[in-house]
Amino acid sequence: MRHGRRDGFREFAAGRSGHLYRSACLLASGDTHLAEDLVQETLGRMYLHWGRISRIDNPAAYAQTVLVRAFLTHQRRRSAGERPVGEFPYSGAPAAAAGGADPELRLTLLEALGRLAPKDRAVLVLRYWEDRSVEETADAMNASSAAVRTRTSRALARLREQLGGSLTAFADL
């Protein structure tokens, strides 16, 4: 029985790790090393409780929730470890997520997302990248629906401020 559970987890991890990685890249503003750590943390937590998790209706949604919570926990812990950089380092990893769109546009958006507070970034990724409802986002972030709506509105306003005139370039996507 235990061997079957392990195989089930391996199948789940192989099928979902790419999607988790793309989401983690967005949360981490293109920091591929942090994204890999977040995915590893997520899969590690899921493996520990796979016997229970495998019986729920949507383990993929649960994995996304674990990923977001791991990201937010990481951001709270490492506030003193952040370093400003002169240029945005591009590694090419999020390119596959954008489906071949203009690379400069992707970089601009990733850079703008990186300047947002971690919770603002998380709410935008969950709502618009993961296409989750307000209620699902609230559950993933341990917040109320009203708090998610407010944070989404304010995060979008901050994103618009940062992008300024370059926001019109996003209308074509």
Side-chain angles (χ1 to χ4, degrees):
M1 183 72 164
R2 188 173 185 186
H3 191 61
R5 258 193 260 160
R6 189 177 324 148
D7 289 342
F9 177 78
R10 284 183 182 153
E11 183 179 321
F12 172 81
R16 294 301 301 170
S17 60
H19 187 78
L20 287 169
Y21 179 73
R22 287 187 296 274
S23 294
C25 280
L26 289 171
L27 288 169
S29 299
D31 182 347
T32 58
H33 300 291
L34 175 57
E36 290 169 353
D37 290 346
L38 290 171
V39 170
Q40 188 69 28
E41 177 75 19
T42 298
L43 292 176
R45 289 181 187 178
M46 299 227 11
Y47 181 76
L48 289 175
H49 304 288
W50 184 248
R52 285 183 305 188
I53 294 169
S54 63
R55 291 188 294 258
I56 64 175
D57 288 337
N58 193 350
Y62 184 77
Q64 291 300 129
T65 299
V66 172
L67 176 71
V68 169
R69 290 182 183 171
F71 167 72
L72 293 174
T73 299
H74 174 76
Q75 290 303 112
R76 280 191 297 269
R77 275 187 283 178
R78 74 170 259 244
S79 62
E82 294 181 5
R83 301 179 308 271
V85 294
E87 280 187 44
F88 184 74
Y90 180 68
S91 65
D102 181 18
E104 290 182 30
L105 194 57
R106 286 193 308 272
L107 288 174
T108 302
L109 184 57
L110 280 173
E111 191 174 301
L113 277 171
R115 284 189 235 125
L116 294 177
K119 286 186 179 181
D120 289 349
R121 195 175 327 146
V123 78
L124 291 180
V125 168
L126 286 171
R127 292 282 291 126
Y128 299 106
W129 172 257
E130 294 294 326
D131 198 28
R132 289 194 181 197
S133 69
V134 171
E135 292 75 22
E136 291 170 330
T137 302
D139 185 49
M141 294 183 67
N142 277 339
S144 69
S145 295
V148 167
R149 284 190 292 274
T150 301
R151 185 169 292 281
T152 301
S153 175
R154 290 179 182 164
L156 284 172
R158 287 185 193 106
L159 197 59
R160 285 184 189 109
E161 280 176 19
Q162 289 181 27
L163 294 172
S166 65
L167 186 60
T168 57
F170 289 96
D172 297 333
L173 292 181

